[in-house]
């Protein structure tokens, strides 16, 4: 079977779904294909911090109604180290900006509902996805759906299929340059039915390793522990997790413990593929770049990418002009590298590195000390955390 569509979008994560919605608002239809089921993508627990700019994008495109009802506006975070607690006040340091804590899977649910209500096509559980003729003006995406071969004949392919997708891999060898760091630790993340010990997020740098306290609602906590890079969740029964969280975050008082609803280990890497385009294929989000999660930038740069891409595609279909499409990678990479720098810096400042000697350890402490004692340094953290304004 052949389906004609102006834009084929590979991947129904936040990047692919938001792109499809933004294009729809520009009067451009698309087909989204996704290897997983709707239920799977709607329940995949990942990030939870939305920058002010991400909130604004969701607001402007009518996708923020439930987020405003259920999301939690946060005006600061706490840094904890050496038994000290220090609050970074976002509005006071950034001229009034703040963040919203709202689960990524809730954003995904909201976008799927919006797309389907508007008659948008999202084809879940596609197999054997492949992209073809990317350098021609008529690229194609092929896949199997329920055993049937389907070909999408399109003019633009958006590769929004995450780090392990097929789109980046389809670009011929030698075209892309890769920049990468793999960190010597991972995060064990849990979702727990336990009330928050604090109204704000706590980033703790502890001699036993980094810990992060976050939340999803007044009754659900999201917590992370630095663990070994090859760690497996079977080694972390619930009692061990709570014991470790109490040690690193407890601050004298015990955390309220509750049933653990979800557990997972995420490796930590920085990765950038340049350029983010090849012919009529445009990569967006994790398909093009990965940040370590410290600082919660992954979802936010995915949103920033598709904001740029939707405008470029709209210009292309409205006037045949490729100016914005040609500039796509360059436009995005400036913001991507800023988020990469910030995420790398937060990661380096807050984690235990097995290879650190006394010199590096003292430098790390000095960095933390500077961040909490200098208004300029606190403001630098705050303005990156709430998200830099969009250039255009
Ligand atoms: P994704 O959300 O990965 O979406 C890509 C989609 O493409 C997926 O639905 C996938 O199933 C689909 N797909 C893959 N291959 C194919 C194919 N061949 N054909 C069709 N579809 C395909 N960021 C933070 O800021 N904080 C966090 O705590 C955090 N935790 C994370 C935990 C994990 C386990 C992971 C993997 C990421 C985490 N991130 C976190 C990063 C953040 O979630 C991502 O940056 C964000 O999901 C990027 O959105 P995306 O749409 O680009 O990619
Ligand atoms: C969350 C994840 C992060 O990576 C982070 O820096 C802050 C919060 C979260 O999942 O809530």
């Amino acid at each position: 079977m052949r389906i004609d569509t102006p834009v084929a979008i590979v991947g129904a994560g936040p990047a692919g779904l938001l792109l499809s919605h933004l294009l729809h608002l520009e009067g451009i239809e698309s087909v989204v294909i996704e290897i997983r089921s709707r239920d799977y993508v709607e329940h995949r627990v990942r990030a939870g911090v939305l920058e002010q700019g991400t909130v604004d994008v969701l607001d402007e495109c009518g996708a923020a109604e439930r987020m405003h009802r259920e999301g939690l506006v946060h005006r600061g975070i706490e840094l904890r180290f050496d038994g000290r607690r220090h609050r970074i006040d976002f509005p006071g340091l950034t001229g009034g900006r703040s963040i919203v804590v709202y689960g990524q899977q809730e954003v995904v649910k909201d976008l799927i509902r919006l797309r389907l209500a508007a008659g948008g096509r999202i084809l879940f559980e596609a197999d054997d996805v492949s992209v073809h003729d990317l350098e021609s003006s008529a690229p194609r995406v092929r896949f199997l759906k329920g055993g049937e071969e389907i070909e999408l004949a399109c003019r633009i392919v958006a590769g929004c299929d995450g780090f392990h997708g097929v789109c980046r891999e389809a670009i011929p060898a030698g075209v892309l340059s890769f920049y990468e760091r793999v960190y010597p630790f991972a995060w064990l993340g849990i979702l727990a039915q336990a009330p928050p010990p604090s109204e704000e997020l706590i980033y703790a740098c502890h001699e036993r390793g980094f810990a992060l306290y976050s939340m999803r609602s007044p009754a659900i906590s999201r917590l992370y522990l630095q663990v070994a890079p090859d760690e497996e969740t079977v080694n972390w029964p619930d009692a061990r997790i709570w014991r470790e969280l109490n040690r690193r975050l407890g601050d004298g008082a015990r955390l309220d413990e509750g049933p653990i609803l979800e557990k997972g280990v995420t490796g930590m890497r920085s990765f950038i593929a340049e350029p983010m385009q090849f012919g009529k294929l445009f990569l967006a989000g994790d398909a093009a770049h990965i940040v370590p999660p410290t600082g919660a930038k992954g979802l936010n740069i995915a949103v920033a990418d598709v904001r740029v891409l939707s405008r470029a595609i709209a210009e292309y279909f409205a006037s045949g002009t490729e100016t914005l499409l040609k500039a796509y990678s360059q436009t995005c990479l400036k913001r991507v590298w800023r988020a990469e720098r910030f995420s790398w810096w937060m990661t380096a400042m807050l984690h235990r590195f097995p290879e650190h000697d006394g010199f590096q350890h003292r430098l790390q402490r000095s960095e933390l000390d500077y961040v909490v004692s200098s208004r300029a340094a606190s403001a630098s953290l705050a303005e990156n955390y709430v998200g830099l304004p969009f250039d255009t």
Side-chain angles (χ1 to χ4, degrees), residues 80-357:
R80 262 186 210 182
F81 61 101
D82 291 343
R84 292 161 64 188
R85 306 167 61 155
H86 185 89
R87 181 165 186 268
I88 304 283
D89 168 32
F90 294 151
L93 291 161
T94 64
R97 292 165 80 81
S98 54
I99 55 146
V100 172
V101 175
Y102 186 63
Q104 175 170 326
Q105 76 272 28
E106 305 307 325
V107 176
V108 164
K109 279 182 205 158
D110 294 345
L111 289 169
I112 290 177
R113 229 174 278 141
L114 265 178
R115 284 312 295 128
L116 296 180
R121 274 188 292 182
I122 310 171
L123 305 177
F124 291 101
E125 297 177 79
D127 281 326
D128 281 345
V129 180
S130 57
V131 293
H132 306 270
D133 300 336
L134 299 172
E135 286 184 279
S136 80
S137 55
R140 288 166 301 124
V141 179
R142 284 201 199 123
F143 56 99
L144 294 175
K145 172 97 177 114
E148 185 186 4
E149 262 186 46
I150 304 186
E151 180 173 286
L152 296 183
C154 58
R155 293 180 53 200
I156 301 273
V157 179
C160 303
D161 51 349
F163 184 62
H164 300 287
V166 294
C167 289
R168 189 182 66 250
E169 297 292 322
I171 298 175
V175 171
L176 300 181
S177 299
F178 302 109
Y179 302 90
E180 187 167 25
R181 282 286 175 281
V182 177
Y183 298 87
F185 37 75
W187 277 14
L188 170 69
I190 64 157
L191 200 62
Q193 203 173 330
S198 147
E199 284 184 4
E200 293 181 343
L201 273 61
I202 303 166
Y203 286 80
C205 177
H206 191 272
E207 60 187 23
R208 297 179 64 86
F210 170 76
L212 169 61
Y213 167 73
S214 180
M215 67 201 71
R216 288 294 177 268
S217 76
I220 303 284
S221 296
R222 175 90 169 132
L223 296 131
Y224 298 95
L225 283 171
Q226 174 183 350
V227 293
D230 52 355
E231 194 56 276
E232 291 179 25
T233 50
V234 289
N235 298 328
W236 287 85
D238 296 6
R240 182 178 177 202
I241 293 179
W242 286 116
R243 194 166 59 242
E244 199 55 35
L245 284 166
N246 272 307
R247 279 178 170 148
R248 298 187 198 178
L249 282 169
D251 197 25
R254 279 184 75 79
L255 297 171
D256 271 321
E257 298 176 15
I260 294 183
L261 311 172
E262 222 265 346
K263 256 182 227 182
V265 174
T266 310
M268 307 264 288
R269 72 170 73 227
S270 303
F271 171 88
I272 304 99
E274 291 189 3
M276 293 166 55
Q277 61 196 89
F278 172 70
K280 288 292 186 289
L281 169 66
F282 297 86
L283 303 175
D286 280 17
H289 41 71
I290 296 287
V291 286
T294 335
K297 287 287 163 249
L299 168 62
N300 293 292
I301 32 177
V303 167
D305 286 352
V306 296
R307 178 179 172 275
V308 174
L309 186 54
S310 65
R311 290 173 179 203
I313 294 174
E315 180 196 64
Y316 178 60
F317 282 113
S319 62
T321 316
E322 291 190 42
T323 317
L324 293 180
L325 275 182
K326 289 208 163 106
Y328 168 69
S329 176
Q330 207 186 349
T331 308
C332 290
L333 281 170
K334 203 170 152 203
R335 189 178 187 86
V336 166
W337 273 107
R338 287 189 175 188
E340 292 284 352
R341 185 206 67 80
F342 177 66
S343 309
W344 162 83
W345 174 76
M346 284 282 280
T347 302
M349 181 171 70
L350 291 165
H351 289 74
R352 283 300 277 195
F353 284 72
E355 73 272 20
H356 269 186
D357 60 14

